[in-house]
Every structure is written in structure tokens, then in C-alpha cells.
């Protein structure tokens, strides 16, 4: 039985995807893949690949992956397409790219990457990924925390797709403001109750917008990203100066976010 593998990585930080290209081995059962009646999904094999991935990550010191149903739906759609086409590819003619198809399936992320393969059984596929530098990097990437896996059996062989991501919570503007406000409060800054001016400031790229009702802040920080667990370093440095006593935080619609990636736009006013 021949075996083919392929990996693909897309990151929010690059507009042009970074693609790892590997040699594709022609498969002896490619022609049989054109007969859908002979194929079937293998949830048990997907579960095995999921367990093997987390075992390998634990051995490498990486955190465990959580199963993501949206990623699994996207992986299955691509796996079905691989079966129809017979040969391995991360994208076929007329098919959305990885970010588009995982987003359309309902996934929210700041980083997305993919491994694909065909082999005789799940452990063989996992072993192939672990012995291929690009696939191993994807599978053990400490920055990803979620995965969805699809496996389809065709005449004794298995097509497999694993989509890995760094998940992003879907939060309302009020929830985003509350989370960032907690970080500011932990830095010793008192939070103002009215976020009106910060929300207005969030909607512009610089300066102080018209319509602000309070006193003019001493400093305005605007940024956009997916990380709500840490404040930007420039803002941390400002807070550490001891010049500021209170703050106001506002969230608004993000600007020019790459399709498929979930990001937030914020403004913090320091007084």
C-alpha cells in the first residue's frame, strides 16, 4: 500500500500562506477511490489519530489538543473531496482555501494549519506525520490548541485530514471590554464606568474624535488582535511609568481582518 502525506500552514501574521510542499506518492488504489459505494467514514480511526496526537504532544511537552467539531466538519468535506479526486492536495479547483472552508464550517481562530495523508491504518498515518518535519511541526505546534480530524476508508486504505488551530472565543464588544478592563485593573489602574469616549476613539485611526464627552486623555492606545490574555507591551510599559491613575476601554469593529481569522479591535484611554 502506498502512502502519501501533505501539510499546510496558514498564519494570521502573513497575508501570503506559508505552504510546506512534500513529495506525493502515487497510490495503487487511486482508481478505486472513484467508487463512493466502497468508502465510509471512520470515526474510530479519527479518534485514534486524536489520541495519538495528544500522546505525542505530551511527550514533547506541548499542551493537549481539544476536539473542535467545526474543524472536524471542514476536515470531512475536504477528505471527501480528496477521495473523489484520488490524489492528495490541500486545495482543488473551485474549492475554498483552508481558512475559508474552516471559517465557513464555524471555526474561529487566530492560526490554522493542516496535515493530510493516505495510508493503510491510523497508526501508520500518525507515524508518517511524526517522521516528516513539516507535519511534525504542525502536529506538535505548542501554539495550536484545537483539532478536527476526518478519516475515510477506501478499499483497505484511509484518507485522513487533520485541521489544527489556535481557537479564539467569540465575544461581544462588552465582553471584550470587560476582559481587557480586568487586565488594566490588575495593573493597578482604576477603571472608569463610562466607555463612550473609548468606543469613539476605537473607530478612528489616530487623534481624538468629535463627540467625546469627557476630559481629554493623556494617552490613547489602539490595537487589533486575537489575544485577550495579555496587554500590548507598549501599553504595559506606559502603565509601568506610574503617570496614569485611571483608564477607559472601548471595543469596535476590526479593520481589514484577514478572512477566516477572528480578531478584536480596542482602544484604551489613559488619564
Amino acid at each position: 500500500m502506498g502512502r502519501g502525506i501533505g501539510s499546510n500552514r496558514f498564519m494570521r501574521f502573513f497575508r501570503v500562506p506559508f505552504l510546506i510542499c512534500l513529495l506525493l506518492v502515487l497510490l495503487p488504489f487511486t482508481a478505486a477511490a472513484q467508487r463512493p459505494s466502497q468508502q465510509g467514514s471512520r470515526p474510530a480511526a479519527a479518534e485514534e489519530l486524536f489520541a495519538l496526537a495528544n500522546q505525542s504532544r505530551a511527550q514533547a511537552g506541548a499542551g493537549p489538543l481539544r476536539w473542535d467539531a467545526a474543524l472536524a466538519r471542514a476536515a470531512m468535506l475536504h477528505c471527501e473531496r480528496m477521495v473523489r479526486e484520488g490524489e492528495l492536495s490541500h486545495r482543488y479547483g473551485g474549492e475554498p482555501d483552508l481558512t475559508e472552508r474552516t471559517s465557513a464550517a464555524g471555526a474561529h481562530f487566530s492560526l490554522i494549519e493542516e496535515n493530510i495523508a493516505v495510508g493503510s491504518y491510523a497508526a501508520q498515518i500518525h507515524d508518517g506525520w511524526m517522521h516528516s518535519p513539516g507535519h511534525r511541526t504542525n502536529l506538535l505546534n505548542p501554539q495550536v490548541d484545537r483539532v478536527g480530524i476526518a478519516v475515510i476508508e477506501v478499499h483497505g486504505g484511509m484518507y485522513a485530514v487533520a485541521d489544527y488551530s489556535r481557537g479564539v472565543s467569540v465575544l461581544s464588544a462588552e465582553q471584550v471590554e470587560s476582559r481587557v478592563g480586568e487586565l488594566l485593573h490588575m495593573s493597578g489602574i482604576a477603571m472608569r464606568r463610562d466607555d463612550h469616549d473609548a468606543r469613539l476613539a476605537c473607530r478612528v485611526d489616530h487623534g481624538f474624535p468629535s463627540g467625546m464627552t469627557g476630559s481629554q486623555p493623556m494617552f490613547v492606545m489602539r490595537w487589533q488582535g486575537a489575544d485577550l490574555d495579555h496587554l500590548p507591551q507598549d501599553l504595559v510599559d506606559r502603565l509601568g511609568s506610574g503617570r496614569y491613575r485611571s483608564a477607559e476601554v472601548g471595543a469596535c469593529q476590526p479593520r481589514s481582518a484577514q478572512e477566516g481569522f477572528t480578531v478584536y479591535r480596542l482602544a484604551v484611554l489613559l488619564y
Side-chain angles (χ1 to χ4, degrees):
M1 175 66 63
R3 181 179 64 189
I5 53 179
S7 69
N8 198 9
R9 173 182 294 171
F10 290 62
M11 298 185 69
R12 176 173 58 85
F13 312 105
F14 299 95
R15 290 190 178 275
V16 179
F18 171 55
L19 173 63
I20 302 170
C21 298
L22 296 170
L23 181 64
L24 172 65
V25 180
L26 296 179
L27 308 176
F29 56 90
T30 295
Q34 308 307 316
R35 295 194 290 273
S37 63
Q38 301 297 320
Q39 69 191 49
S41 63
R42 287 292 301 270
E47 287 288 347
E48 184 177 353
L49 284 171
F50 177 54
L52 289 169
N54 275 332
Q55 288 175 16
S56 294
R57 288 175 65 87
Q59 292 169 1
L65 297 172
R66 293 170 48 197
W67 185 267
D68 189 294
L71 291 177
R73 287 193 295 271
M76 179 55 72
L77 288 174
H78 187 64
C79 198
E80 291 171 347
R81 183 66 183 270
M82 289 201 311
V83 171
R84 291 197 299 271
E85 298 288 343
E87 295 184 357
L88 295 187
S89 176
H90 289 285
R91 188 180 186 183
Y92 300 98
E95 182 186 34
D97 67 18
L98 176 60
T99 60
E100 293 175 298
R101 64 177 184 261
T102 49
S103 177
H108 298 271
F109 47 83
S110 60
L111 182 154
I112 188 76
E113 55 191 35
E114 180 176 83
N115 283 353
I116 59 177
V118 63
S120 300
Y121 48 91
Q124 182 194 57
I125 290 171
H126 176 77
D127 186 66
W129 284 342
M130 288 297 292
H131 285 85
S132 169
H135 302 85
R136 181 184 177 91
T137 297
N138 283 353
L139 196 153
L140 299 182
N141 187 351
Q143 296 185 54
V144 301
D145 56 15
R146 302 182 186 184
V147 67
I149 302 172
V151 178
I152 295 177
E153 182 181 16
V154 181
H155 287 273
M158 292 181 179
Y159 283 86
V161 178
D163 290 338
Y164 312 90
S165 78
R166 181 174 184 84
V168 174
S169 300
V170 182
L171 304 175
S172 67
E174 291 77 12
Q175 290 173 316
V176 171
E177 292 166 355
S178 176
R179 183 167 295 187
V180 174
E182 291 174 0
L183 295 176
L184 290 166
H185 184 68
M186 290 171 61
S187 299
I189 299 295
M191 295 305 302
R192 296 193 170 195
R193 293 183 178 180
D194 187 357
D195 294 326
H196 173 267
D197 288 353
R199 290 173 180 172
L200 287 179
C202 183
R203 298 171 189 166
V204 300
D205 293 327
H206 52 79
F208 304 108
S210 59
M212 294 180 69
T213 57
S215 59
Q216 183 170 303
M218 298 172 63
F219 177 75
V220 179
M221 176 78 184
R222 301 176 179 89
W223 77 95
Q224 185 166 301
D227 184 6
L228 296 179
D229 294 326
H230 305 88
L231 297 173
Q233 189 59 48
D234 287 349
L235 181 56
V236 172
D237 293 342
R238 285 274 180 174
L239 296 173
S241 70
R243 297 178 55 198
Y244 310 101
R245 296 291 178 267
S246 63
E248 184 179 328
V249 57
C252 60
Q253 185 69 25
R255 304 281 183 84
S256 302
Q258 187 176 348
E259 185 174 0
F261 293 94
T262 300
V263 296
Y264 302 107
R265 179 174 172 83
L266 295 114
V268 167
L269 311 186
L270 298 180
Y271 298 89

